[in-house]
Amino acid sequence: MREDFAGLRELLLVAEKRSFTAAAAELRVTPSAVSQAISALEERLHARLVQRTTRSVSLTEAGARFVAELRPAMEGIRGAFATLESARGRPTGTLRLNVPRLAFGPVIKPMLARFLTAHPELRIDVTLDDGLRDIVAEGYDAGIRLGERVDRDMVAVPVTGDMRMAVVGSPAYFDTHPHPRHPRDLAAHDCVNYRHATSRNIARWEFVVDGRELTVAVNGRVITNDNEVMVLAALDGQGLAYVMEHTVTEHLAAKRLVRVLTRYCPSFPGLYLYHPNRKNQPLKLRALIDFLRARP
């Protein structure tokens, strides 16, 4: 029976990460061990599941069908472990979270040490990822997203208050460029563009003018998929950046950055911890939710 299940976890991780090396790192084994486990599984099933090349790893058609059937079964196994965990009365095991970079500072960083101290039998595995992942299919216990991006079939728990965007530039930039008075004035400015991790599209800047939403496509010489790079580019005088307000608070207070168009940047629902609506919620996830709700 044990042999029947050998290699299944390795296969799911390789399917998720498209990499033997990344799967091996998570399992704390060598890539060779992962490869051997999957090869043994393929031999038992008499089917090629993974297509390997020198540059990429992907599932074969048979592998994709097998993984699609396997994932719900593994979810049932996780539920069984959750039931056993609840019977013990204390959270144990590994809590896997998928978190965008913008959530690390306001949510994860302040609570990580205290949460682990409060639950010594827990491990926490945090993946920083700005893509819109399917946390159920990829085996995460929960994720964090902006409220507007959480799927409706998920249970969502607010972990921050409302948030705002900010348009900022350096004093040096404004030495040679006028302050924009209206979002349409951005057409005359160098702007730092953000590329979405999943769609690869360039984000438009969103404002509210006289109660109506206005989206503006901006131009500039810097494009990035990272908020920190956007802030650094603004600090270096490379243009205006449209970033989360909380990421530039200290720079604004120190006058390293100047904020403009404030009246056109309304607040919006902040960050939410979200997870599937399971019959048996893992005790480790309940512990995290209770901990976040109890924060001052």
Side-chain angles (χ1 to χ4, degrees):
M1 178 66 73
R2 181 176 180 180
E3 184 180 90
D4 291 339
F5 293 101
L8 297 183
R9 188 181 181 195
E10 288 86 348
L11 176 64
L12 285 174
L13 281 172
V14 168
E16 171 194 334
K17 298 181 179 298
R18 295 292 192 268
S19 166
F20 282 89
T21 301
E26 182 150 329
L27 292 170
R28 300 182 181 181
V29 298
T30 65
S32 176
V34 173
S35 180
Q36 290 173 14
I38 292 179
S39 293
L41 177 63
E42 290 175 325
E43 187 174 342
R44 294 201 310 275
L45 297 176
H46 303 289
R48 177 59 64 88
L49 304 174
V50 177
Q51 184 67 44
R52 306 162 176 86
T53 70
T54 56
R55 295 185 177 181
S56 65
V57 176
S58 61
L59 294 176
T60 64
E61 183 178 352
R65 289 198 303 267
F66 184 67
V67 166
E69 293 287 340
L70 180 60
R71 279 173 172 154
M74 294 300 287
E75 185 66 22
I77 292 173
R78 291 191 188 98
F81 277 107
T83 300
L84 182 60
E85 180 188 47
S86 297
R88 291 193 188 114
R90 63 183 185 275
T92 60
T94 300
L95 182 64
R96 298 190 68 219
L97 303 177
N98 186 281
V99 179
R101 288 174 175 82
L102 67 90
F104 182 78
V107 180
I108 302 299
K109 183 179 179 180
M111 56 75 65
L112 185 60
R114 292 186 294 114
F115 179 70
L116 291 175
T117 299
H119 301 288
E121 295 184 55
L122 262 183
R123 292 187 301 174
I124 189 164
D125 182 343
V126 180
T127 298
L128 295 182
D129 182 2
D130 292 329
L132 299 178
R133 303 297 180 186
D134 183 339
I135 62 169
V136 176
E138 298 191 13
Y140 291 99
D141 295 293
I144 294 178
R145 284 185 193 171
L146 291 172
E148 62 190 27
R149 295 183 179 178
V150 176
D151 293 337
R152 293 185 178 180
D153 60 346
M154 291 286 172
V155 178
V157 180
V159 292
T160 70
D162 287 351
M163 306 181 84
R164 295 181 74 191
M165 300 300 293
V167 180
V168 297
S170 71
Y173 177 83
F174 286 119
D175 284 344
T176 56
H177 297 80
H179 287 213
R181 305 298 179 186
H182 189 280
R184 292 193 180 92
D185 295 340
L186 294 170
H189 286 268
D190 285 328
C191 298
V192 182
N193 273 293
Y194 178 83
R195 187 186 297 280
H196 290 294
T198 303
S199 69
R200 308 295 297 163
N201 294 330
I202 300 296
R204 291 173 175 260
W205 294 15
E206 300 177 355
F207 303 96
V208 173
V209 178
D210 296 328
R212 293 186 177 182
E213 294 183 0
L214 173 67
T215 60
V216 179
V218 298
N219 293 306
R221 293 179 295 163
V222 178
I223 303 172
T224 180
N225 67 344
D226 186 80
N227 186 87
E228 185 175 350
V229 174
M230 296 176 71
V231 174
L232 290 174
L235 287 167
D236 287 343
Q238 299 304 308
L240 302 181
Y242 179 74
V243 295
M244 289 288 183
E245 182 182 59
H246 72 267
T247 65
V248 291
T249 302
E250 293 182 4
H251 295 306
L252 291 171
K255 302 187 184 305
R256 292 186 291 267
L257 289 174
V258 177
R259 186 171 186 176
V260 295
L261 300 177
T262 305
R263 61 178 292 194
Y264 300 107
C265 297
S267 61
F268 53 86
L271 294 166
Y272 284 71
L273 180 82
Y274 69 100
H275 59 88
N277 188 9
R278 297 188 178 100
K279 180 179 179 180
N280 296 311
Q281 186 181 83
L283 198 58
K284 59 188 177 183
L285 179 56
R286 169 49 54 191
L288 176 63
I289 293 171
D290 290 344
F291 188 89
L292 290 173
R293 282 177 168 165
R295 290 183 308 167

